[in-house]
Amino acid sequence: VSYRDILDAVAIVNGRQSSSLSLQYMLSPKRTGTLTIGPATLTYNKQTYTTQPMTVEVFQGTPPQTPGTDTQQETETPDVFVRAEVDKTTPYIGEQITVSYYLYTRVNISQYNFAQQPGFTGFWVEDLTVPQPPTLEYQTLNGVRYGVALMKKVALFPTASGDVTIEPLVMTFGVRVQSRDPFGNFFNDSFDDFFGRTEELIRKTQPIDLKILPLPEEDRPEHFNGDVGRFTMSVDVDATQVTQDDAITLPVKVQGIGNIKTVKEPLVRVPESFKRYDPEIKEQLYTMQEPVQGEKVFTSVIIPSEAGDFQIEPVQFSYFDPQRKAYQTIR
């Protein structure tokens, strides 16, 4: 169930003022058969008002067409529909999946709304940048010319293996029924569109089935922490000659392709006579790039408690590269 306010108006007729508030609930049936939507109840000035219950027939697949029923979503050449496209269906745990949601229209769209977002259960989600307002391109599908716009784009990173289904995205559209040319004026908010007659359509994508692969056990590095992608690493210190008990700053930077927000700190070993404090962590994600890229810096402070010559062992970072289908360790 999803809910939103769609109208809040005040009117004066024959010198009398009245106000109205319209509410819209979007319901998705969980089973077929004859279902009843119960009455709505409102109590105002100690008086209760109740609507009549409504009966709905829910069918499996395409319902029988009746006069006044909008079945364009199921016809061979619908005027408006939305489609979800995924770049891969068998990713590894932690590997990026990109889902793009497109609107296809043969009519003029005056307004739109994301009525119900997918839950994306089992994924780490990053919204990607899309053009605002949406831009229209031309595409011929099954011999029919459509205006196509990218409405939403997300990067998903699976957190567990197994069979997973991405739920549908539900959108509502205000359609100008008197116009059939979307290419000159697609997302139109002009005076005529605001006051003209529109028809509201509800459209949803099909669910997407995925098979998430587990990371291989073979050749898994001892210090692997679950990071997946393609990365580089750089390490530095702010001083190589210091006085005993002086602080040294040790930044470790990891850059590359993958979910940088979940990247764990590389393995850092310092001499026993050094005290090392928990690192300060800074990260930056680049969602305008595809696939998602970024950098993460782990800055530690280390303090030598003895004088002498010491060596910091090579810093190690292990990750799984889904393109090579193999683990990589950089030092």
Side-chain angles (χ1 to χ4, degrees):
V1 180
S2 64
Y3 155 80
R4 65 185 177 96
D5 295 355
I6 60 172
L7 179 64
D8 189 358
V10 176
I12 299 177
V13 180
N14 296 328
R16 300 185 61 184
Q17 177 176 311
S18 64
S19 61
S20 65
L21 172 66
S22 296
L23 310 177
Q24 181 185 75
Y25 293 84
M26 216 159 258
L27 311 179
S28 179
K30 296 181 178 179
R31 61 180 176 85
T32 59
T34 301
L35 307 181
T36 300
I37 300 175
T41 302
L42 169 69
T43 301
Y44 180 72
N45 286 341
K46 298 182 179 181
Q47 186 171 352
T48 300
Y49 304 87
T50 305
T51 65
Q52 295 296 320
M54 293 174 286
T55 301
V56 179
E57 291 289 336
V58 180
F59 297 88
Q60 183 71 38
T62 303
Q65 187 171 358
T66 57
T69 301
D70 178 15
T71 58
Q72 288 185 344
Q73 181 84 3
E74 291 79 22
T75 62
E76 293 183 359
T77 56
D79 281 343
V80 179
F81 67 93
V82 287
R83 169 181 289 180
E85 298 181 4
V86 64
D87 63 342
K88 56 180 71 74
T89 56
T90 56
Y92 286 96
I93 293 176
E95 181 181 5
Q96 178 179 333
I97 310 163
T98 302
V99 185
S100 303
Y101 295 93
Y102 292 94
L103 165 66
Y104 289 73
T105 180
R106 300 170 63 200
V107 296
N108 191 26
I109 302 294
S110 60
Q111 59 186 9
Y112 67 92
N113 180 62
F114 293 100
Q116 183 173 317
Q117 301 274 5
F120 297 128
T121 302
F123 296 93
W124 182 290
V125 185
E126 290 292 342
D127 286 317
L128 302 179
T129 304
V130 298
Q132 290 297 335
T135 56
L136 195 69
E137 297 180 352
Y138 309 114
Q139 184 175 331
T140 299
L141 187 65
N142 298 327
V144 179
R145 193 186 194 203
Y146 284 95
V148 183
L150 176 62
M151 307 299 291
K152 182 180 177 66
K153 195 173 187 179
V154 294
L156 306 179
F157 299 89
T159 58
S161 61
D163 296 328
V164 181
T165 299
I166 298 178
E167 303 169 354
L169 170 75
V170 181
M171 296 188 67
T172 60
F173 299 96
V175 176
R176 291 295 307 277
V177 295
Q178 62 267 40
S179 172
R180 295 190 62 83
D181 179 15
F183 304 109
N185 201 7
F186 181 50
F187 293 99
N188 194 322
D189 58 357
S190 67
F191 181 88
D192 290 338
D193 280 319
F194 185 81
F195 289 100
R197 186 172 70 89
T198 62
E199 175 183 351
E200 185 174 64
L201 300 181
I202 301 175
R203 294 291 183 261
K204 69 176 181 178
T205 63
Q206 295 296 318
I208 301 175
D209 294 326
L210 304 173
K211 185 176 183 62
I212 313 301
L213 305 177
L215 299 180
E217 295 289 341
E218 185 179 0
D219 298 326
R220 180 177 293 194
E222 178 184 358
H223 301 290
F224 174 69
N225 284 324
D227 298 309
V228 177
R230 297 197 307 275
F231 302 99
T232 61
M233 180 179 61
S234 61
V235 184
D236 199 3
V237 291
D238 65 344
T240 57
Q241 292 185 352
V242 295
T243 304
Q244 178 180 332
D245 296 324
D246 277 355
I248 303 172
T249 301
L250 176 70
V252 179
K253 179 189 291 185
V254 177
Q255 295 175 296
I257 296 172
N259 188 2
I260 206 72
K261 289 186 176 181
T262 61
V263 166
K264 318 301 187 302
E265 183 187 13
L267 179 63
V268 179
R269 291 192 178 101
V270 297
E272 292 183 359
S273 60
F274 281 59
K275 184 173 183 179
R276 179 171 176 258
Y277 294 88
D278 292 337
E280 176 188 4
I281 302 174
K282 293 184 179 180
E283 62 187 22
Q284 188 170 5
L285 196 67
Y286 307 121
T287 58
M288 295 186 66
Q289 299 182 1
E290 180 61 32
V292 170
Q293 303 179 32
E295 66 178 46
K296 197 168 190 174
V297 181
F298 304 85
T299 302
S300 300
V301 173
I302 57 177
I303 299 177
S305 59
E306 296 179 2
D309 295 329
F310 300 92
Q311 187 177 70
I312 298 175
E313 295 184 19
V315 177
Q316 297 184 47
F317 178 66
S318 297
Y319 63 92
F320 180 77
D321 187 337
Q323 288 194 350
R324 297 181 179 181
K325 299 182 180 180
Y327 293 99
Q328 307 291 319
T329 296
I330 51 180
R331 294 174 174 81

